[in-house]
């Protein structure tokens, strides 16, 4: 009986997908992405609307081997693409208008914001890596794309002893491959130059009292 029920359910889902859902899924998906875009711009709406669209992609899959196939190939892909497009437009504008130090705070805030948003709108069941994929997407577009520009500020911050800003830079660069290495090199150079400067300044004392 359960086997027959499973077969009937699969046939019904396949029929629904072919006859109805395949014709409306793109409109549903586009509408959901527009709502998320509006939320990113500070507009309020019922988040359940987006969640409902996501659940329809998950629940309508008849593939017993991969229940998330339809969701992953459609909703997740659209969500990642929409996120990337949004920040590809916004991030350069913010950096140009506000400078690197303010941009670092912006990038850090947006990474946290998008990770929280992803837990609402993307699938979080065990074995699904949607949130991790979204985080990687945001790191790429918000941090990796501006890695060299951000790191160019490092030496000056070290010299000025801006420890809080350096801590923020470190937290951002720690998400990027080889992002920390240039910071450590700048720190090493600063220590070396500062040490030599101190030795030169204290040359007379050093020559008479080596300790």
């Amino acid at each position: 009986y359960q086997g027959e029920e499973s077969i009937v359910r699969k046939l019904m889902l396949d029929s629904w997908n072919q006859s109805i859902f395949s014709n409306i899924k793109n409109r549903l998906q586009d509408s959901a992405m527009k709502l998320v875009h509006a939320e990113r711009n500070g507009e309020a709406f019922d988040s359940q609307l987006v969640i409902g669209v996501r659940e329809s992609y998950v629940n309508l899959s008849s593939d017993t081997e991969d229940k998330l196939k339809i969701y992953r190939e459609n909703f997740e892909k659209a969500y990642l693409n929409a996120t990337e497009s949004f920040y590809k437009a916004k991030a350069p504008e913010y950096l140009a208008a506000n400078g690197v130090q303010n941009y670092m705070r912006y990038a850090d805030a947006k990474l946290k914001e998008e990770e929280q948003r992803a837990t609402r709108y993307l699938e979080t069941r065990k074995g699904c890596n949607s949130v991790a994929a979204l985080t990687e997407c945001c790191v790429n577009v918000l941090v990796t794309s501006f890695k060299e520009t951000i790191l160019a500020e490092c030496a000056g911050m070290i010299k000025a002893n801006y420890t809080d800003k350096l801590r923020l830079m470190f937290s951002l660069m720690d998400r990027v491959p080889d992002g920390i290495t240039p910071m450590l090199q700048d720190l090493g150079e600063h220590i070396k130059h500062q040490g030599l400067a101190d030795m030169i300044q204290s040359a007379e004392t050093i020559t008479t009292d080596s300790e």
Side-chain angles (χ1 to χ4, degrees):
Y1 175 75
Q2 288 182 341
E4 290 179 1
E5 184 181 66
S6 178
I7 292 171
V8 171
R9 183 176 185 278
K10 185 179 187 306
L11 288 171
M12 289 177 67
L13 285 173
D14 288 342
S15 178
W16 175 269
N17 284 331
Q18 292 168 11
S19 303
I20 300 175
F21 189 61
S22 61
N23 294 321
I24 65 170
K25 67 179 182 180
N26 287 334
R27 277 178 288 163
L28 276 174
Q29 189 169 277
D30 290 344
S31 296
M33 295 310 115
K34 286 177 182 176
L35 290 175
V36 176
H37 185 277
E39 183 179 86
R40 289 182 174 127
N41 283 325
E43 299 176 36
F45 67 91
D46 183 2
S47 61
Q48 192 59 43
L49 294 170
V50 177
I51 294 169
V53 174
R54 180 198 75 213
E55 289 177 344
S56 69
Y57 280 84
V58 174
N59 294 332
L60 285 173
S61 176
S62 62
D63 190 333
T64 56
E65 298 296 320
D66 186 0
K67 289 291 292 179
L68 297 177
K69 184 177 181 180
I70 293 177
Y71 155 80
R72 192 170 52 253
E73 292 179 353
N74 294 275
F75 187 89
E76 182 192 274
K77 182 180 179 181
Y79 192 98
L80 295 179
N81 288 340
T83 303
E84 183 179 35
S85 296
F86 182 86
Y87 287 110
K88 270 190 173 180
K90 292 287 184 180
E93 289 179 2
Y94 193 95
L95 177 59
N98 298 281
V100 171
Q101 295 182 28
N102 288 319
Y103 178 79
M104 289 195 302
R105 286 192 287 270
Y106 170 84
D108 184 61
K110 292 305 175 183
L111 286 172
K112 292 172 182 174
E113 178 185 311
E114 289 301 336
E115 285 171 349
Q116 291 179 347
R117 182 174 288 117
T119 61
R120 291 200 307 274
Y121 296 144
L122 295 177
E123 192 63 29
T124 57
R125 68 176 64 186
K126 186 178 180 180
C128 182
N129 69 341
S130 291
V131 175
L134 185 278
T135 298
E136 182 180 356
C137 170
C138 288
V139 168
N140 285 337
V141 74
L142 285 167
V143 184
T144 307
S145 295
F146 306 102
K147 175 182 172 181
E148 300 305 324
T149 303
I150 294 171
L151 286 171
E153 299 280 311
C154 184
M157 289 183 187
I158 292 172
K159 189 174 182 179
N161 199 31
Y162 290 157
T163 53
D164 288 341
K165 293 173 182 178
L166 285 166
R167 190 179 297 114
L168 177 56
M169 183 184 288
F170 184 91
S171 70
L172 291 172
M173 288 300 124
D174 196 31
R175 294 172 174 263
V176 178
D178 295 323
I180 300 300
T181 303
M183 293 188 69
L184 295 176
Q185 290 172 345
D186 284 341
L187 180 60
E189 286 296 311
H190 174 75
I191 291 170
K192 182 175 72 174
H193 290 147
Q194 189 63 50
L196 287 171
D198 289 346
M199 288 175 68
I200 292 170
Q201 188 175 1
S202 306
E204 290 186 14
T205 305
I206 292 173
T207 54
T208 57
D209 184 357
S210 60
E211 288 187 10

